[in-house]
């Protein structure tokens, strides 16, 4: 997996904030995650970043960006490639407080684009998606929180018309097209005020939203202001 230096920088900045100005928690947050998506022979690993801003009580606007690179693999006979994928997303979420925790509902629009290098260098695909999400967060005590989440990706996958050959374009769609339904479990820990570290295991591809993945593992930090 890629270096965790960006995560450490975010945590350091957040700790500096908590020792100076006491800003309202949850009005604004920054998140950075190091993730790995397990697949058949083309695992991805990379970084994702998120911004959330409170618009009114319980409601937030969200922005997200992810950048990942796959292992090299044989797409078709004689064509060995590596895929670089980038994702941008914008959305909203709403909290509903219940007796023992918080239920959060979310809706986002995202786009994941892929480029290859190796046997073919150039644009490979574009995947536009709506993402419906729900999560339940419950405090465990001593700064720990457990979060159960589910996300449904509604995809519109297109291969680039200039990508390699017709058979390669078909193989690309067969490998990455799909509308995953991902279920995840997160353990979060807040060691100091306004800073939370978290570890998440999710089924399928919970970051890029590409089809036919086995699972996603991510580790990250969130700074609240």
């Amino acid at each position: 997996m890629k270096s965790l230096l960006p995560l450490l920088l975010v945590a350091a900045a957040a700790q500096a904030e908590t020792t100076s100005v006491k800003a309202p928690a949850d009005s604004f947050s920054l998140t950075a995650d190091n993730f790995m998506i397990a697949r058949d022979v083309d695992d991805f690993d990379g970084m994702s970043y998120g911004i959330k801003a409170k618009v009114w009580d319980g409601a937030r606007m969200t922005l997200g960006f992810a950048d990942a690179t796959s292992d090299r693999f044989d797409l078709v006979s004689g064509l060995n490639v590596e895929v670089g994928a980038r994702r941008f997303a914008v959305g909203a979420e709403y909290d509903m407080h219940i007796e023992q925790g918080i239920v959060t509902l979310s809706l986002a629009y995202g786009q994941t684009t892929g480029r290859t290098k190796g046997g073919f260098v150039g644009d490979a695909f574009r995947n536009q998606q709506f993402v419906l999400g729900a999560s339940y967060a419950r405090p465990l005590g001593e700064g720990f929180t457990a979060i159960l989440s589910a996300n449904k990706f509604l995809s519109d996958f297109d291969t680039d018309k200039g990508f390699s050959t017709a058979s390669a374009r078909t193989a690309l769609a067969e490998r990455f097209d799909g509308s995953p339904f991902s279920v995840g479990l997160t353990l979060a820990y807040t060691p100091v005020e306004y800073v939370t570290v978290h570890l998440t295991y999710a089924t399928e591809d919970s970051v890029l939203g590409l089809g036919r993945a086995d699972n996603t593992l991510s580790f990250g930090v969130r700074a609240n202001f």
Side-chain angles (χ1 to χ4, degrees):
M1 301 175 94
K2 294 183 179 179
S3 170
L4 294 180
L5 179 59
L7 306 185
L8 299 178
L9 292 176
V10 171
Q15 281 189 293
E17 178 72 18
T18 62
T19 60
S20 55
V21 180
K22 293 290 186 178
D26 296 329
S27 292
F28 184 81
S29 69
L30 298 172
T31 303
D33 281 87
N34 195 187
F35 66 87
M36 182 175 67
I37 301 167
R39 299 176 56 89
D40 185 10
V41 294
D42 54 344
D43 296 349
F44 281 87
D45 70 288
M47 295 291 300
S48 65
Y49 306 92
I51 299 173
K52 296 183 180 182
K54 180 179 177 181
V55 291
W56 64 77
D57 286 346
R60 292 178 295 276
M61 296 297 296
T62 64
L63 290 172
F65 171 75
D67 186 24
T69 303
S70 78
D71 296 334
R72 291 181 71 97
F73 63 96
D74 291 324
L75 180 60
V76 293
S77 179
L79 183 58
N80 184 266
V81 295
E82 173 186 295
V83 177
R86 287 188 174 183
R87 179 175 179 83
F88 296 90
V90 59
E93 58 184 33
Y94 181 72
D95 292 337
M96 296 183 294
H97 292 260
I98 60 176
E99 184 177 353
Q100 296 181 325
I102 300 175
V103 173
T104 301
L105 303 178
S106 62
L107 173 65
Y109 170 79
Q111 178 174 282
T112 299
T113 56
R115 286 180 57 87
T116 59
K117 61 181 180 179
F120 179 87
V121 178
D123 294 336
F125 62 81
R126 181 179 65 174
N127 194 17
Q128 301 181 84
Q129 299 168 321
F130 285 100
V131 187
L132 306 175
S135 67
Y136 171 63
R138 179 169 180 171
L140 301 177
E142 302 297 330
F144 287 93
T145 302
I147 305 167
L148 180 65
S149 60
N151 291 285
K152 176 60 178 178
F153 295 81
L154 305 174
S155 301
D156 181 11
F157 186 95
D158 290 308
T159 56
D160 191 273
K161 294 180 180 179
F163 179 76
S164 191
T165 63
S167 61
R169 290 192 292 273
T170 299
L172 198 67
E174 290 176 349
R175 183 176 290 269
F176 294 120
D177 193 6
S179 294
F181 177 70
S182 177
V183 177
L185 180 62
T186 299
L187 180 63
Y189 175 60
T190 304
V192 294
E193 192 175 18
Y194 303 154
V195 178
T196 299
V197 293
H198 49 265
L199 177 66
T200 300
Y201 172 86
T203 61
E204 303 197 46
D205 180 351
S206 64
V207 180
L208 302 175
L210 300 177
R212 297 166 179 79
D214 296 324
N215 57 70
T216 302
L217 182 65
S218 62
F219 169 75
V221 61
R222 183 181 76 245
N224 291 335
F225 302 92

